[in-house]
Amino acid sequence: TPDLLTDLPTATWCPVVVDPLRWTAAARPPRSGPLRVAHAPSVGPVKGTGLIMPTLQRLADEGVITLELVQGVASSQMPTVFANADVVIDQFRVGSYGVAACEAMAAGCVVVGHVTDRVRDAVAEHTGLVLPIVDATPDTLDTTLRELAALPSLDEASAAGLNFVTK
């Protein structure tokens, strides 16, 4: 991942590669109602799940979002899970992103997580692309999700994510 270039600057970054066809195969239902949010804490402490769950639960209780906490789901079912989400909440502790974020972007989701400027700069330098992950911290997640929920469409952000993973 690009964050590791700090620890080993002579390394060569090998970007995450996903098969876009696998992730676009499931039909995405039209957006309606509360913002559909999924969080797949493959390793909860690394993703910062404990830091963000109070905010996610409060927003779900208020009806701003619906929340799907994805655990114990077979890999073969993940394209459908992501197809049914508007937003996928990624990582909040390590300042980077990984496979799940790329899979979610390939599925057409907007990805929200904390990515450091250093990682964003490395991605831009190596790819010429802007990393389309919406930046938030545990302290700003509430505002970020409320802003996304208020948008009439997430199509532009969704298209940016799909463009990023297919380049």
Side-chain angles (χ1 to χ4, degrees):
T1 55
D3 57 308
L4 297 177
L5 292 172
T6 301
D7 298 322
L8 191 57
T10 60
T12 300
W13 172 44
C14 296
V16 169
V17 176
V18 298
D19 177 5
L21 295 178
R22 177 175 185 237
W23 296 94
T24 57
R28 293 186 62 78
R31 182 172 171 215
S32 65
L35 190 68
R36 299 171 301 195
V37 174
H39 177 55
S42 52
V43 182
V46 172
K47 292 221 175 196
T49 301
L51 301 172
I52 60 172
M53 279 308 296
T55 298
L56 295 175
Q57 191 59 59
R58 183 177 60 256
L59 290 171
D61 292 345
E62 291 177 21
V64 175
I65 67 170
T66 60
L67 176 61
E68 182 169 1
L69 192 59
V70 184
Q71 295 177 303
V73 175
S75 173
S76 63
Q77 297 304 309
M78 289 304 293
T80 300
V81 169
F82 284 167
N84 288 312
D86 301 310
V87 171
V88 169
I89 304 296
D90 194 41
Q91 304 183 47
F92 286 83
R93 292 191 68 109
V94 298
S96 194
Y97 69 100
V99 174
C102 293
E103 292 170 341
M105 287 187 278
C109 299
V110 175
V111 176
V112 175
H114 177 59
V115 180
T116 65
D117 289 340
R118 184 175 55 228
V119 169
R120 289 180 184 277
D121 292 345
V123 169
E125 178 184 331
H126 287 84
T127 68
L129 299 171
V130 173
L131 181 66
I133 294 176
V134 176
D135 195 56
T137 65
D139 292 335
T140 64
L141 183 59
D142 181 284
T143 301
T144 299
L145 288 176
R146 288 179 191 277
E147 289 172 353
L148 290 172
L151 292 173
S153 170
L154 297 175
D155 291 349
E156 187 177 323
S158 175
L162 185 56
N163 180 63
F164 181 80
V165 296
T166 56
K167 293 292 178 177

